Amino acid sequence: MSPEFGHVALIVGLCLAVIQSAVPMCGTYFGAPRWMHMGRSLALGHAVFVMLAFISLTAAFLTDDFSVRYVAQHSNSLLPTQYKVSAVWSAHEGSLLLWSLVLALWSAAVAVFSKTLPLVFVARVLSVLGMIAVGFGLFILLTSNPFERTLPFPPMDGSDLNPLLQDIGLILHPPFLYMGYVGLSVPFAFAIAALLGQQFDSAWARWCRPWINIAWVFLTVGITLGSWWAYYELGWGGWWFWDPVENASLMPWLTATALVHSVAATEKRGVFRSWTLLLAIFAFSLSLLGTFLVRSGVLTSVHAFASDPERGEFILLFLCLVIGSSFLLFALRGPAIRSRTGFSGVSRETLLLVNNLILITSTAMILLGTLYPLIADALDWGKISVGPPYFNFFFVPLSLLLLASLGVSVSSRWRHTDPSGLRQKIKLPLIASILLGVLLPVPMASWYDNSGYAPSAAVTLIFTFWVLGASLHDALIKTASGNLMKLPASYWGMLCAHCGIAICALGVGLSTIYGVQRDIRMDLGDSIILAGYRFEFRDIRQFNQPNYVATQAEFAVYVGGVLERTLSPEKRHYHAGGEVMTEAGIDAGLTRDLYVSLGEPLGSSSWSVRVQVKPFVRCIWLGGLLVALGGILATADKRYRRRRSPKQLFTGSSGRASYEK
Amino acid sequence: MHPVRKQRLQWILLILVATSIGIGLVVYTLRQNANYFYTPSQIASGVAPLGVALRAGGMVTKGSLHRIADSLEVSFDVSDGAARLRVHFTGILPDLFAEGQAAVVTGKLDDQSIMRATQVLAKHDENYMPPEVADAMLEAYKRPDERARVDEEPYYEP
């Protein structure tokens, strides 16, 4: 398939998106069911053509068609095949095409899995998704066409993919993250459709909930993968840098987390209706803002590659259009939405409100810190960067508050919880977590040859055990009285996700507090003792690979004189771009990682070396995956698969009573 | 006042006070943790404060990189084409750090206007130059009186 074919497919896809954005929507105003029905087939057709465009770009990469400029810039004939495929989304043009493809796939999924929803509603949702697709389609075709050729003199060979990106992480991380980012467009479209139709009740929340959960799961996995990738691939053992682009993914995640919780309250109890709508709009706006920050290159960041200000302006315009129009719509229609039911001060609703408050405060704090350099630059206050201390100062206490409320919320009930019963329920986990948390750092201090008792470790452990203990305690109470299988999947999903958050917090806390790191100069034969492990620099040798030359060192790690592991960190010199890469030598373990990376050669046989022991660092990503698993379990709950007649769903009145327990 | 209204007013006041405390705290912390960027020219002219964490950047001057034997201490110069800044750093330099390439350093200036860096960042893509460095170079290039000196800078020669 020639690149021109892909280009034409993209144009056809855009045309279909234009029709998709207009016709079903008009149909809802003129009451023309045929027009509304067109939405589904248009969405599928759009997906097919964008997919064809994507396939033809992939084909250009696989066949080494260096007359296509994008291929020439980001591939090389020596590149292994799997990286040729992933190189498609390694830079601006291709990642936008991936963005469009993912959006088209989500729209197609809505078209396929919306058979039970009222036609008017589906027509509106698909139209809104079509509008977003038009925006991004225009963006690709006008400012960043990946199919552009450099004729008549194409380069002989490509200038290679950035070696940092030649990794399994690049194959997985962007697609997952984009599935999450773009997936938030579905709840956004549902929210806009609800505002347009002024139909916003528990039924709406129930339709919306699986979509929110799935998008949120993808975003969770995407961020977790990104953090893990940075940890081993950047070569220096950091897993979160408070980099603007990381913040850009964390903000939609925090907002989507708030949305996941508030939509639960809306579904079960019919409360927080307008707030849920607003969160859906916020979450998607933040993911668009993320795209703007990443793609415009306005901020210095590890993700900032060569960029073009014109593209930034286009996304900024699009961002303003989307946010402006959706907030205007909300301002016009929002006040009509009223919650009918109330709740008492001690109830699950109140705790969910607290959860939302904390999550949104965290988002606002990160947003301010991320945009402050931009604001300062625009107002000529100087060129500023905001460092990690700012973010840690706010994020750590807010997270602890969140964990504290999380333990209580598991045992709480909807509408009203008896305070004395609640106190009784949480007493045991509270006492146990405080005892364990205070006592455990005593032996830990000696395990990690740290300087004495670490109060911060006690805090981490107390909060972790508190959430784990309260969750398990609640599960025990609930299973003791009845059949294990009677509890719905969504309950297990909630427990799993909450425990995941606690385990992630444990990893963050303990790896930061007890982690040790040393940058030293080592000659062949030297050793260093760190946290009870003796690292010996044993050997250094060179070997050739198709697209790079590697210098590989060998470090033997001894514990008490016994050989524990051999680590082989590498320094790679890539042929095509002349770049240098650090491949760390890592021995992964649930309770600790041993991490050695080579710096630079300092003379004949001596190197600068970074040696690290990182306790419990794996828990960070294990926790992230548990959170995602929790989301999957919650979505798999059978109540979302229960078939209802479209009429019942439309009025949304029949469902309510049965869902109030 | 009607009790419902009174309660509402109390809530509004509470929210107002809480948000203003929050925003005040955020702004204060932001100012505490914001690192300003200075060009080597600005530092040479004495605009930059001493002993305060800041960032500086430019191109690493060719031939200026020196290592101190038996340690990880290095020194090098960064230049925006008009002035040079001496940087001292102990640690491992990033992979893509090289003479004649852009680098951004974070650290404090000592009383001899030497940058005691705690972090060195290098570009990570052949075509990428940190926006601050690009601006600094452009600004230095625009000033006509310094053009002559720019042309004499050794690393501009092929």
Side-chain angles (χ1 to χ4, degrees), chain A residues 181-218:
Chain A
Y181 263 167
V182 183
L184 291 176
S185 66
V186 179
F188 170 79
F190 271 63
I192 298 295
L195 284 170
L196 287 173
Q198 289 190 312
Q199 188 229 347
F200 186 72
D201 48 26
S202 297
W204 178 91
R206 192 165 51 250
W207 306 332
C208 201
R209 226 176 140 184
W211 297 100
I212 296 173
N213 281 350
I214 295 171
W216 176 78
V217 165
F218 275 112

Short mmCIF file of all heavy atoms in Angstrom, two decimals, chain A residues 181-218:
data_model
loop_
_atom_site.label_atom_id
_atom_site.label_comp_id
_atom_site.label_asym_id
_atom_site.label_seq_id
_atom_site.Cartn_x
_atom_site.Cartn_y
_atom_site.Cartn_z
N TYR A 181 -6.40 8.19 27.58
CA TYR A 181 -6.63 9.61 27.27
C TYR A 181 -7.88 9.76 26.41
O TYR A 181 -8.78 10.52 26.71
CB TYR A 181 -5.47 10.13 26.42
CG TYR A 181 -4.39 10.86 27.15
CD1 TYR A 181 -3.18 11.13 26.51
CD2 TYR A 181 -4.55 11.30 28.44
CE1 TYR A 181 -2.16 11.80 27.14
CE2 TYR A 181 -3.53 11.98 29.08
CZ TYR A 181 -2.33 12.22 28.42
OH TYR A 181 -1.33 12.89 29.04
N VAL A 182 -7.86 9.04 25.28
CA VAL A 182 -8.91 9.21 24.29
C VAL A 182 -10.20 8.57 24.78
O VAL A 182 -11.29 9.05 24.48
CB VAL A 182 -8.46 8.63 22.93
CG1 VAL A 182 -9.50 8.87 21.89
CG2 VAL A 182 -7.14 9.24 22.53
N GLY A 183 -10.05 7.50 25.59
CA GLY A 183 -11.24 6.85 26.13
C GLY A 183 -12.08 7.81 26.96
O GLY A 183 -13.30 7.67 27.04
N LEU A 184 -11.43 8.83 27.55
CA LEU A 184 -12.18 9.81 28.34
C LEU A 184 -13.09 10.65 27.46
O LEU A 184 -13.98 11.34 27.96
CB LEU A 184 -11.21 10.70 29.12
CG LEU A 184 -10.46 10.00 30.25
CD1 LEU A 184 -9.47 10.93 30.90
CD2 LEU A 184 -11.45 9.50 31.29
N SER A 185 -12.88 10.58 26.13
CA SER A 185 -13.78 11.31 25.24
C SER A 185 -15.18 10.70 25.25
O SER A 185 -16.15 11.38 24.96
CB SER A 185 -13.22 11.32 23.82
OG SER A 185 -13.23 10.01 23.30
N VAL A 186 -15.28 9.40 25.59
CA VAL A 186 -16.60 8.76 25.59
C VAL A 186 -17.47 9.30 26.73
O VAL A 186 -18.58 9.77 26.47
CB VAL A 186 -16.46 7.22 25.62
CG1 VAL A 186 -17.83 6.57 25.65
CG2 VAL A 186 -15.68 6.73 24.43
N PRO A 187 -16.98 9.28 28.01
CA PRO A 187 -17.80 9.92 29.05
C PRO A 187 -18.07 11.39 28.75
O PRO A 187 -19.17 11.89 29.05
CB PRO A 187 -16.95 9.81 30.32
CG PRO A 187 -15.83 8.91 30.01
CD PRO A 187 -15.82 8.59 28.56
N PHE A 188 -17.10 12.06 28.12
CA PHE A 188 -17.30 13.47 27.74
C PHE A 188 -18.48 13.57 26.79
O PHE A 188 -19.40 14.38 26.98
CB PHE A 188 -16.02 14.00 27.09
CG PHE A 188 -16.17 15.36 26.45
CD1 PHE A 188 -16.16 16.51 27.23
CD2 PHE A 188 -16.32 15.48 25.08
CE1 PHE A 188 -16.30 17.76 26.63
CE2 PHE A 188 -16.45 16.72 24.49
CZ PHE A 188 -16.45 17.86 25.27
N ALA A 189 -18.48 12.72 25.75
CA ALA A 189 -19.57 12.75 24.78
C ALA A 189 -20.90 12.39 25.44
O ALA A 189 -21.93 12.99 25.14
CB ALA A 189 -19.26 11.79 23.63
N PHE A 190 -20.86 11.42 26.37
CA PHE A 190 -22.07 11.07 27.12
C PHE A 190 -22.58 12.27 27.91
O PHE A 190 -23.78 12.51 27.98
CB PHE A 190 -21.78 9.91 28.08
CG PHE A 190 -21.96 8.54 27.48
CD1 PHE A 190 -21.17 8.13 26.43
CD2 PHE A 190 -22.93 7.68 27.96
CE1 PHE A 190 -21.33 6.86 25.87
CE2 PHE A 190 -23.11 6.41 27.41
CZ PHE A 190 -22.30 6.00 26.37
N ALA A 191 -21.65 13.02 28.50
CA ALA A 191 -22.04 14.17 29.31
C ALA A 191 -22.67 15.25 28.43
O ALA A 191 -23.70 15.83 28.78
CB ALA A 191 -20.83 14.74 30.04
N ILE A 192 -22.04 15.50 27.27
CA ILE A 192 -22.59 16.53 26.37
C ILE A 192 -23.97 16.09 25.87
O ILE A 192 -24.91 16.89 25.83
CB ILE A 192 -21.63 16.75 25.18
CG1 ILE A 192 -20.28 17.26 25.68
CG2 ILE A 192 -22.23 17.73 24.18
CD1 ILE A 192 -20.30 18.61 26.32
N ALA A 193 -24.08 14.80 25.53
CA ALA A 193 -25.37 14.30 25.06
C ALA A 193 -26.43 14.44 26.15
O ALA A 193 -27.57 14.80 25.87
CB ALA A 193 -25.24 12.85 24.63
N ALA A 194 -26.03 14.19 27.40
CA ALA A 194 -26.98 14.32 28.50
C ALA A 194 -27.42 15.77 28.66
O ALA A 194 -28.59 16.06 28.90
CB ALA A 194 -26.35 13.81 29.80
N LEU A 195 -26.46 16.70 28.52
CA LEU A 195 -26.79 18.11 28.66
C LEU A 195 -27.71 18.56 27.52
O LEU A 195 -28.67 19.31 27.73
CB LEU A 195 -25.52 18.96 28.65
CG LEU A 195 -24.71 18.94 29.93
CD1 LEU A 195 -23.36 19.62 29.72
CD2 LEU A 195 -25.45 19.65 31.05
N LEU A 196 -27.43 18.08 26.30
CA LEU A 196 -28.25 18.46 25.15
C LEU A 196 -29.67 17.93 25.31
O LEU A 196 -30.64 18.63 25.02
CB LEU A 196 -27.64 17.93 23.85
CG LEU A 196 -26.39 18.63 23.36
CD1 LEU A 196 -25.81 17.89 22.16
CD2 LEU A 196 -26.69 20.08 22.99
N GLY A 197 -29.76 16.66 25.79
CA GLY A 197 -31.08 16.05 25.90
C GLY A 197 -31.74 16.32 27.24
O GLY A 197 -32.86 15.92 27.47
N GLN A 198 -31.01 17.00 28.12
CA GLN A 198 -31.49 17.28 29.48
C GLN A 198 -32.00 16.02 30.16
O GLN A 198 -32.96 16.05 30.92
CB GLN A 198 -32.57 18.35 29.45
CG GLN A 198 -31.96 19.68 29.12
CD GLN A 198 -32.92 20.82 29.31
OE1 GLN A 198 -34.04 20.76 28.85
NE2 GLN A 198 -32.49 21.87 29.97
N GLN A 199 -31.37 14.91 29.82
CA GLN A 199 -31.71 13.67 30.50
C GLN A 199 -30.49 13.23 31.28
O GLN A 199 -29.47 12.87 30.71
CB GLN A 199 -32.08 12.59 29.49
CG GLN A 199 -32.63 11.35 30.16
CD GLN A 199 -31.98 10.10 29.66
OE1 GLN A 199 -31.28 10.11 28.66
NE2 GLN A 199 -32.20 9.02 30.38
N PHE A 200 -30.61 13.32 32.57
CA PHE A 200 -29.44 12.99 33.36
C PHE A 200 -29.90 12.34 34.65
O PHE A 200 -30.26 13.01 35.60
CB PHE A 200 -28.63 14.24 33.65
CG PHE A 200 -27.36 13.91 34.35
CD1 PHE A 200 -26.35 13.30 33.66
CD2 PHE A 200 -27.22 14.17 35.69
CE1 PHE A 200 -25.19 12.96 34.30
CE2 PHE A 200 -26.05 13.82 36.33
CZ PHE A 200 -25.04 13.21 35.64
N ASP A 201 -29.90 11.02 34.69
CA ASP A 201 -30.40 10.32 35.88
C ASP A 201 -29.52 9.09 36.15
O ASP A 201 -28.46 8.94 35.56
CB ASP A 201 -31.85 9.91 35.67
CG ASP A 201 -32.03 9.24 34.33
OD1 ASP A 201 -31.04 8.66 33.83
OD2 ASP A 201 -33.13 9.29 33.77
N SER A 202 -30.02 8.23 37.01
CA SER A 202 -29.23 7.05 37.37
C SER A 202 -28.98 6.16 36.16
O SER A 202 -27.92 5.54 36.05
CB SER A 202 -29.96 6.25 38.44
OG SER A 202 -30.06 7.05 39.58
N ALA A 203 -29.95 6.10 35.24
CA ALA A 203 -29.77 5.26 34.06
C ALA A 203 -28.59 5.77 33.25
O ALA A 203 -27.73 5.00 32.80
CB ALA A 203 -31.04 5.27 33.21
N TRP A 204 -28.53 7.08 33.08
CA TRP A 204 -27.39 7.68 32.36
C TRP A 204 -26.08 7.23 33.00
O TRP A 204 -25.15 6.81 32.33
CB TRP A 204 -27.49 9.21 32.40
CG TRP A 204 -26.35 9.89 31.74
CD1 TRP A 204 -26.29 10.26 30.43
CD2 TRP A 204 -25.10 10.27 32.33
NE1 TRP A 204 -25.08 10.83 30.16
CE2 TRP A 204 -24.33 10.85 31.30
CE3 TRP A 204 -24.55 10.17 33.60
CZ2 TRP A 204 -23.04 11.34 31.52
CZ3 TRP A 204 -23.27 10.63 33.81
CH2 TRP A 204 -22.52 11.22 32.77
N ALA A 205 -26.04 7.33 34.34
CA ALA A 205 -24.81 6.98 35.05
C ALA A 205 -24.47 5.52 34.81
O ALA A 205 -23.29 5.16 34.69
CB ALA A 205 -24.98 7.26 36.54
N ARG A 206 -25.51 4.65 34.73
CA ARG A 206 -25.23 3.24 34.55
C ARG A 206 -24.69 2.95 33.15
O ARG A 206 -23.82 2.12 32.97
CB ARG A 206 -26.47 2.41 34.83
CG ARG A 206 -26.16 0.92 34.94
CD ARG A 206 -27.27 0.12 35.55
NE ARG A 206 -28.54 0.37 34.90
CZ ARG A 206 -29.56 1.03 35.44
NH1 ARG A 206 -29.45 1.52 36.65
NH2 ARG A 206 -30.67 1.21 34.77
N TRP A 207 -25.19 3.68 32.11
CA TRP A 207 -24.64 3.47 30.77
C TRP A 207 -23.21 3.91 30.71
O TRP A 207 -22.37 3.33 30.04
CB TRP A 207 -25.40 4.29 29.72
CG TRP A 207 -26.87 4.09 29.70
CD1 TRP A 207 -27.55 2.98 30.08
CD2 TRP A 207 -27.85 5.04 29.28
NE1 TRP A 207 -28.89 3.17 29.90
CE2 TRP A 207 -29.11 4.42 29.43
CE3 TRP A 207 -27.79 6.35 28.80
CZ2 TRP A 207 -30.29 5.08 29.10
CZ3 TRP A 207 -28.96 7.00 28.47
CH2 TRP A 207 -30.21 6.37 28.63
N CYS A 208 -22.96 5.02 31.41
CA CYS A 208 -21.67 5.68 31.30
C CYS A 208 -20.58 4.93 32.06
O CYS A 208 -19.42 4.96 31.67
CB CYS A 208 -21.83 7.09 31.86
SG CYS A 208 -20.60 8.22 31.30
N ARG A 209 -20.98 4.28 33.15
CA ARG A 209 -20.00 3.77 34.10
C ARG A 209 -19.00 2.79 33.52
O ARG A 209 -17.79 2.94 33.75
CB ARG A 209 -20.73 3.14 35.28
CG ARG A 209 -20.13 3.59 36.59
CD ARG A 209 -20.91 3.06 37.74
NE ARG A 209 -19.98 2.65 38.79
CZ ARG A 209 -20.36 2.07 39.91
NH1 ARG A 209 -21.63 1.79 40.10
NH2 ARG A 209 -19.46 1.74 40.81
N PRO A 210 -19.43 1.78 32.75
CA PRO A 210 -18.41 0.86 32.19
C PRO A 210 -17.40 1.58 31.31
O PRO A 210 -16.20 1.27 31.35
CB PRO A 210 -19.24 -0.12 31.37
CG PRO A 210 -20.63 0.01 31.85
CD PRO A 210 -20.79 1.38 32.38
N TRP A 211 -17.85 2.57 30.53
CA TRP A 211 -16.93 3.30 29.65
C TRP A 211 -15.90 4.06 30.47
O TRP A 211 -14.72 4.07 30.15
CB TRP A 211 -17.70 4.26 28.76
CG TRP A 211 -18.65 3.58 27.84
CD1 TRP A 211 -20.00 3.44 28.00
CD2 TRP A 211 -18.32 2.88 26.62
NE1 TRP A 211 -20.54 2.73 26.96
CE2 TRP A 211 -19.54 2.37 26.10
CE3 TRP A 211 -17.15 2.65 25.93
CZ2 TRP A 211 -19.59 1.64 24.91
CZ3 TRP A 211 -17.20 1.92 24.75
CH2 TRP A 211 -18.41 1.43 24.25
N ILE A 212 -16.38 4.72 31.54
CA ILE A 212 -15.46 5.46 32.40
C ILE A 212 -14.43 4.51 33.00
O ILE A 212 -13.23 4.76 32.97
CB ILE A 212 -16.22 6.18 33.54
CG1 ILE A 212 -17.15 7.24 32.97
CG2 ILE A 212 -15.25 6.81 34.52
CD1 ILE A 212 -18.06 7.88 33.99
N ASN A 213 -14.95 3.36 33.51
CA ASN A 213 -14.05 2.41 34.16
C ASN A 213 -12.98 1.90 33.20
O ASN A 213 -11.81 1.82 33.55
CB ASN A 213 -14.84 1.22 34.70
CG ASN A 213 -15.54 1.55 36.00
OD1 ASN A 213 -15.28 2.59 36.59
ND2 ASN A 213 -16.43 0.70 36.43
N ILE A 214 -13.39 1.54 31.97
CA ILE A 214 -12.42 0.96 31.05
C ILE A 214 -11.37 1.99 30.66
O ILE A 214 -10.16 1.71 30.66
CB ILE A 214 -13.13 0.38 29.81
CG1 ILE A 214 -14.02 -0.78 30.24
CG2 ILE A 214 -12.12 -0.11 28.79
CD1 ILE A 214 -14.93 -1.28 29.17
N ALA A 215 -11.82 3.22 30.35
CA ALA A 215 -10.86 4.26 29.99
C ALA A 215 -9.88 4.49 31.15
O ALA A 215 -8.67 4.61 30.95
CB ALA A 215 -11.59 5.56 29.66
N TRP A 216 -10.42 4.49 32.36
CA TRP A 216 -9.60 4.72 33.55
C TRP A 216 -8.60 3.58 33.75
O TRP A 216 -7.45 3.81 34.12
CB TRP A 216 -10.54 4.87 34.74
CG TRP A 216 -9.90 5.03 36.07
CD1 TRP A 216 -9.34 6.16 36.58
CD2 TRP A 216 -9.77 4.03 37.08
NE1 TRP A 216 -8.88 5.92 37.84
CE2 TRP A 216 -9.12 4.62 38.17
CE3 TRP A 216 -10.14 2.69 37.17
CZ2 TRP A 216 -8.83 3.94 39.34
CZ3 TRP A 216 -9.85 2.01 38.33
CH2 TRP A 216 -9.20 2.63 39.40
N VAL A 217 -9.03 2.34 33.46
CA VAL A 217 -8.12 1.19 33.57
C VAL A 217 -6.95 1.36 32.59
O VAL A 217 -5.78 1.19 32.95
CB VAL A 217 -8.86 -0.13 33.31
CG1 VAL A 217 -7.88 -1.26 33.05
CG2 VAL A 217 -9.76 -0.48 34.48
N PHE A 218 -7.27 1.72 31.35
CA PHE A 218 -6.21 1.91 30.36
C PHE A 218 -5.25 3.00 30.80
O PHE A 218 -4.03 2.87 30.68
CB PHE A 218 -6.80 2.26 29.00
CG PHE A 218 -7.20 1.06 28.19
CD1 PHE A 218 -8.51 0.78 27.92
CD2 PHE A 218 -6.22 0.20 27.70
CE1 PHE A 218 -8.88 -0.33 27.18
CE2 PHE A 218 -6.57 -0.92 26.95
CZ PHE A 218 -7.90 -1.18 26.69
#
